[in-house]
Amino acid sequence: MGEPVDQQLILDAFLYVQPLVETRRQHRMHNARFGPDNALTAFRNLLDDTVRTVPSPNSDTLYTAFGYTLADGPLVVVFPEVEPDRYYVLPFYDAFTNVYASYGTRTGKSEPGPHLLVGPRYEGEVPDGMPVIQSPTECGAMLGRFLVYGPDDLSTIHAIQDSMSVTTLADWKAGKRGITYTEAGDRSWPERGSTVPGVKADPVEFWKAVGEMMPGTPIPERDRAHFDRFAELGLTRDGFTEPTDPAVRDGLYQGTLDGWQFLTDMGADQSKAEQLGVHFLHRNGWDWSAVGGDPDNTGVRDYGTDYTLRAWVNLLYYGMLPPEEALYPTTFYDERGERMNGAAHTYTLTVDTANLPNHPAGFWSVTTYDLDGYLVPNDLHRFKISSHSELRADPDGNITITVSHAEPTDDKANWLPAPATEFYLMFRAYLPVTAVVDGTYPFPIIRRAS
């Protein structure tokens, strides 16, 4: 029996590959709920309280998405034509969840028509004049968002979605068009973490998933010295082989469970994340991290070698956009520093709209979530207040929002329902200006209503 393996090495390995497993998990959930990889899914309804797949879902945009695997060849992705004043984004994520290409309002890369999506090692045919998108990994996803102004606007987005398609190159050349799936009418969603693989509860399944992902996941040159240290754990660039030494195997599997707890602790206690170098911005009780930025609007968001931050973001916010695209400041606390609780108190917050300049197509919203990260059921089916809502403005033009579990007896225009438990708020800013990104914008203070 060999010597026990260094626990830091195991944690480093876990943090490095965690995004690969999360990508695979997201694919499996998507496959179980909607359709196969390499096929477009058009979400026809805004996400609501029945969603149980991803944490902190947004109710501002309609998603149009697909997971892809390019081992069998490239895909032809047809981009839509979108009116210039409507916000949308088509970000492409590799298996490490870096955004390696992004198209839409912010980047101005919005040429409609067919594009060829190829894998990292592809050297085959490219149809004349067709733009190429090269994925750094064979597995990945595109998670597109289109702003919806309201229920009457859904048909416009549906038409945009219907103009898109994902097709294999062979079928495209044969004049065929890929099938687009839509979410089922029953609106039932699997619980988060309930589908294969059971990676949090079973470290064996976790490392099996890693082994499946590795052959299609070239290790970037900048990562290789860091990654090659994991060979003694059975992890190489070709895949994963379970260690034969019981001390190594048992240490790896226990260290994997410890790794999940490490990330969970970071999510629950921000100070622990900050001690490990995750840089947060704080303003009026709101916290956010403007990480992996894209200040030059290239359409790329890369975590670099910050593997801890990358894994932490994936645990909480899979599919997170670059800060210049969208920011998600979050708060759990009122102005007294106490946890917000919808049964105990009514709260107000005033959005300073005069000092919230945005790109002409940008907008903001405030959303309530329970502590599991789900939207809050309510009779009005209202999950957020946004700059596109029909709101009652204050005399100075600002917007004061009331947040409570009890429904107001008078004007409900600015009421945001909260659960009868503790909850958190997320302030989304789409296409924010520098003042929002760098924290100088005065985010609204959460006050208890007397």
mmCIF file of all heavy atoms in Angstrom, residues 96 146 160:
data_model
loop_
_atom_site.group_PDB
_atom_site.id
_atom_site.type_symbol
_atom_site.label_atom_id
_atom_site.label_comp_id
_atom_site.label_asym_id
_atom_site.label_seq_id
_atom_site.Cartn_x
_atom_site.Cartn_y
_atom_site.Cartn_z
ATOM 1 N N PHE A 96 -15.125 23.521 -20.543
ATOM 2 C CA PHE A 96 -14.645 24.151 -19.312
ATOM 3 C C PHE A 96 -15.526 25.330 -18.904
ATOM 4 O O PHE A 96 -15.252 25.989 -17.911
ATOM 5 C CB PHE A 96 -13.210 24.632 -19.483
ATOM 6 C CG PHE A 96 -12.189 23.526 -19.559
ATOM 7 C CD1 PHE A 96 -11.496 23.282 -20.729
ATOM 8 C CD2 PHE A 96 -11.928 22.730 -18.458
ATOM 9 C CE1 PHE A 96 -10.552 22.257 -20.798
ATOM 10 C CE2 PHE A 96 -10.981 21.708 -18.510
ATOM 11 C CZ PHE A 96 -10.293 21.478 -19.686
ATOM 12 N N PHE A 146 -32.962 35.846 -25.640
ATOM 13 C CA PHE A 146 -33.641 36.907 -26.377
ATOM 14 C C PHE A 146 -34.574 37.644 -25.422
ATOM 15 O O PHE A 146 -35.417 37.027 -24.757
ATOM 16 C CB PHE A 146 -34.468 36.339 -27.533
ATOM 17 C CG PHE A 146 -33.653 35.665 -28.604
ATOM 18 C CD1 PHE A 146 -33.394 34.304 -28.537
ATOM 19 C CD2 PHE A 146 -33.150 36.390 -29.669
ATOM 20 C CE1 PHE A 146 -32.642 33.675 -29.516
ATOM 21 C CE2 PHE A 146 -32.393 35.775 -30.655
ATOM 22 C CZ PHE A 146 -32.138 34.415 -30.584
ATOM 23 N N ILE A 160 -38.399 34.344 -34.378
ATOM 24 C CA ILE A 160 -36.938 34.385 -34.424
ATOM 25 C C ILE A 160 -36.362 32.995 -34.176
ATOM 26 O O ILE A 160 -35.462 32.532 -34.885
ATOM 27 C CB ILE A 160 -36.402 35.392 -33.387
ATOM 28 C CG1 ILE A 160 -36.760 36.820 -33.802
ATOM 29 C CG2 ILE A 160 -34.886 35.253 -33.224
ATOM 30 C CD1 ILE A 160 -36.432 37.869 -32.745
#
